Amino acid sequence: MPAEAHPLRAIFFDARDTLGSVDRPGHLVAFRPTTEALLEYVKSMGVKIGVITNLPDNVSSEQGRAMVTGAVLSEDPKTGRVRTIGDYIPAANIITNHDAGVDKPDPRIYSKAAELLGVQPHEALYCGENLPECLGAEAAGMRAQRKPFPVGQEFLPSLIQKFPTTKTDSGRAFEALFEHEHVLGEKIFAAGHNIA
């Protein structure tokens, strides 16, 4: 029976680049306001919510769980009450590559995550921005859904080597591509002007 035929009992999210950006090791900045709206909607579905995340060697599982649960979603201007991802996803529902002994997209991490939440893989969905990780979830028997990455950041994070770097570039490939296309466009318009 295909996974889609089974009721959905749990949804797992990737942390980095799905729920927010990691601006330094062990610190997640939630996408605002979209992550809170997404988690609020999923909570209303009545399913269990978890996170499956790969952490670097210098960030422990405990630090990773604190990073996710402590990420600020919003602050009430009247009361000052802060809402965090932890209001939707308890630390106990977060599995890391360190816990599982394998990194995503290895199917075993998804199976261990389903076991952690007491569901079968075919009763769960994985949501992340990374296609190989979604394919790993499907290989484990989960459903998977790609969540679009924020605008401009879906390009390669490192600079394509053919483009020279400058003192002011961000090092992101999309910036170099846009700059290259801009210069190319100027040359085309200049050539067109000279022809006219």
Side-chain angles (χ1 to χ4, degrees):
M1 182 182 288
E4 292 79 16
H6 293 278
L8 189 61
R9 296 183 51 215
I11 296 178
F12 292 97
F13 291 99
D14 178 33
R16 185 178 57 116
D17 300 334
T18 298
L19 297 177
S21 283
V22 174
D23 64 349
R24 62 184 183 273
H27 188 254
L28 181 71
V29 179
F31 297 134
R32 295 171 67 173
T34 57
T35 296
E36 185 171 13
L38 173 64
L39 294 176
E40 189 65 41
Y41 177 76
V42 172
K43 180 181 175 183
S44 74
M45 294 170 60
V47 299
K48 296 177 181 182
I49 309 173
V51 166
I52 305 170
T53 189
N54 288 342
L55 298 172
D57 290 340
N58 63 342
V59 177
S60 70
S61 289
E62 293 73 26
Q63 290 170 318
R65 283 189 267 280
M67 170 186 78
V68 173
T69 58
V72 174
L73 296 170
S74 64
E75 183 177 348
D76 186 310
K78 293 179 184 175
T79 66
R81 184 189 185 287
V82 174
R83 294 190 86 172
T84 67
I85 290 177
D87 290 323
Y88 296 91
I89 305 173
N93 290 10
I94 300 170
I95 188 167
T96 75
N97 54 327
H98 303 325
D99 301 325
V102 292
D103 291 350
K104 293 180 293 178
D106 188 306
R108 292 174 290 179
I109 194 170
Y110 305 94
S111 297
K112 289 181 185 231
E115 184 181 323
L116 177 71
L117 265 59
V119 300
Q120 295 297 312
H122 61 261
E123 297 174 312
L125 178 136
Y126 173 78
C127 178
E129 88 299 337
N130 183 296
L131 179 60
E133 291 181 5
C134 289
L135 295 174
E138 289 180 347
M142 281 187 185
R143 288 168 260 191
Q145 178 66 51
R146 254 183 102 208
K147 179 182 179 284
F149 204 56
V151 176
Q153 293 184 9
E154 69 273 15
F155 292 94
L156 295 172
S158 61
L159 200 58
I160 294 172
Q161 297 304 313
K162 289 185 180 179
F163 296 121
T165 58
T166 68
K167 291 180 181 180
T168 58
D169 75 44
S170 67
R172 296 227 181 235
F174 76 91
E175 180 182 315
L177 288 169
F178 290 154
E179 178 64 25
H180 177 73
E181 291 302 314
H182 174 73
V183 170
L184 183 61
E186 284 183 351
K187 288 180 181 178
I188 290 170
F189 282 113
H193 178 72
N194 289 339
I195 290 170

